Amino acid sequence: MEKRTNYPNYPNHPYYPVVLSILQERNAQTVLDAPCGDGWLGYALKDKKSGVTVDGACLWEFPPADGGYRNIIEHDLNKPMPETQQYDAVICCEAIHSLSNPGCAVASFAGSLRPGGTVIITTPNTWYMRSRLQFFLRGFHSGFRPAIGKKPGEDYITYFPFTFGLLHQLLSHHGYSDIRLHQVNERKPMRWIEHILALPGQLYYRLKHRQAKSQEEAHFWNQSGSRQSVHGRWLVVSATYGSAAK
């Protein structure tokens, strides 16, 4: 199989600095980038001289040899990860929506984390108003057109349009905790009509927040009703797996 290689194009996506800040905040020293794609993460950490050790896993697209990665394996994330070392963090950028078996990937990431390690997932947010209106009018969300005639490995194919609630549910199901939605510095909708159309949902979230029976439930509804969840184009979600040794 031919391996496609690209060169870095960061920082042209607003979620890049958010991912880097989470890694710094969690003091992650060993990272698995799955999929590593064009290798923006390796280059960014290398340029910052962070001292972080980065391994990669990918199937279709591979970074250059000087991209800052220690090891790169060829792997389909729709299948269980091979046994590897345990990392402080696993990063999955812009891929979970293009997997036919995202639950397998999330479970595999857990097996690649040390106790108390962090997973960071980024994916397009299909809950913002334009995407919801497109689904209402056409039957599919923005960026999620039917893949008729497209071929895996050759064309961009999307499977699951994630919202914060759906990603939270997937992570919770596989045993993750402390699930957080992070703010992305991007232009939120400025049109008054988008804010008005989003108002009923936000009122519902506030009601559920007031009715919450636990701090965890209240935190979920508070994040669900945030500007990033309702109006943002990206989801950047972190979660913890297991407890760190004391």
Side-chain angles (χ1 to χ4, degrees), residues 101-155:
N101 193 0
C104 178
V106 170
S108 289
F109 296 157
S112 297
L113 285 170
R114 64 165 176 77
T118 299
V119 67
I120 304 172
I121 296 175
T122 81
T123 186
N125 180 21
T126 57
W127 197 234
Y128 76 96
M129 192 52 59
R130 191 178 70 183
S131 180
R132 282 192 271 174
L133 287 173
Q134 182 167 312
F135 182 82
F136 176 74
L137 295 172
R138 301 182 183 179
F140 50 84
H141 288 282
S142 297
F144 285 81
R145 288 184 172 85
I148 303 301
K150 295 182 179 180
K151 298 180 180 180
E154 298 180 14
D155 303 300

Side-chain angles (χ1 to χ4, degrees), residues 23 27-33 41-42 45-46 49-56 68-71 85-91:
L23 290 176
N27 193 30
Q29 295 301 304
T30 55
V31 175
L32 175 63
D33 187 13
L41 182 63
L45 292 172
K46 180 181 178 182
K49 299 180 180 179
S50 62
V52 176
T53 300
V54 190
D55 290 339
Y69 291 84
R70 179 180 59 178
N71 297 309
Q85 74 172 74
Q86 291 188 311
Y87 297 88
D88 295 329
V90 175
I91 315 299

Side-chain angles (χ1 to χ4, degrees), residues 43-117:
Y43 270 99
L45 292 172
K46 180 181 178 182
D47 287 352
K48 287 179 176 291
K49 299 180 180 179
S50 62
V52 176
T53 300
V54 190
D55 290 339
C58 214
L59 184 63
W60 309 114
E61 191 176 35
F62 290 73
D66 63 348
Y69 291 84
R70 179 180 59 178
N71 297 309
I72 297 177
I73 64 170
E74 186 172 350
H75 177 69
D76 182 355
L77 292 178
N78 288 300
K79 300 176 182 179
M81 290 280 293
E83 290 187 9
T84 61
Q85 74 172 74
Q86 291 188 311
Y87 297 88
D88 295 329
V90 175
I91 315 299
C92 181
C93 288
E94 304 303 287
I96 197 165
H97 57 280
S98 62
L99 298 178
S100 60
N101 193 0
C104 178
V106 170
S108 289
F109 296 157
S112 297
L113 285 170
R114 64 165 176 77

Side-chain angles (χ1 to χ4, degrees), residues 167-227:
L167 191 52
H168 189 286
Q169 180 177 336
L170 182 64
L171 289 166
S172 297
H173 176 79
H174 287 283
Y176 291 85
S177 60
D178 190 23
I179 302 169
R180 302 185 191 182
L181 174 64
H182 298 266
Q183 295 300 308
V184 178
N185 185 17
E186 55 176 327
R187 184 178 179 181
K188 304 295 193 295
M190 300 298 291
R191 300 179 182 87
W192 61 269
I193 187 64
E194 293 181 76
H195 292 281
I196 291 177
L197 290 173
L199 186 58
Q202 290 180 309
L203 292 174
Y204 173 76
Y205 296 137
R206 292 172 188 170
L207 174 63
K208 298 298 289 185
H209 181 267
R210 289 197 299 269
Q211 295 175 340
K213 298 179 180 179
S214 68
Q215 186 175 356
E216 180 183 10
E217 185 180 350
H219 186 51
F220 168 78
W221 288 114
N222 185 53
Q223 293 189 98
S224 295
S226 68
R227 279 179 55 82

